[in-house]
Amino acid sequence: MVKPGAYRIGTSGLRVQGLTYSAFKNSDGTHAFVALNNREQAQSVTLSDGDNHFSYEIPAKSVASFRW
């Protein structure tokens, strides 16, 4: 969840037509990530903040959000 006072941080790596995403740093130090998969097929993503990482498959035609 992107909390009030969060600021957008840079992203790198994955560039896929139909996948739009942004990452944020919340004022409490947590990270947030929001992605729109507008494709006809699922899209696998791996998120990393330098210390932690995890992978997730975003279903076709859906939105996913994460906070850690």
Side-chain angles (χ1 to χ4, degrees):
M1 168 190 329
V2 179
K3 295 183 169 192
Y7 59 91
R8 188 168 179 244
I9 57 177
T11 58
S12 63
L14 187 63
R15 301 283 187 246
V16 175
Q17 184 81 16
L19 183 68
T20 305
Y21 55 88
S22 288
F24 302 86
K25 180 95 177 227
N26 288 315
S27 58
D28 65 1
T30 60
H31 292 88
F33 180 82
V34 181
L36 164 65
N37 182 4
N38 202 29
R39 300 168 43 132
E40 297 293 332
Q41 64 268 15
Q43 177 64 52
S44 180
V45 296
T46 299
L47 305 175
S48 174
D49 63 11
D51 296 319
N52 304 292
H53 70 275
F54 61 94
S55 296
Y56 181 77
E57 188 170 276
I58 304 171
K61 300 291 185 178
S62 67
V63 174
S65 64
F66 307 93
R67 183 174 63 103
W68 71 98

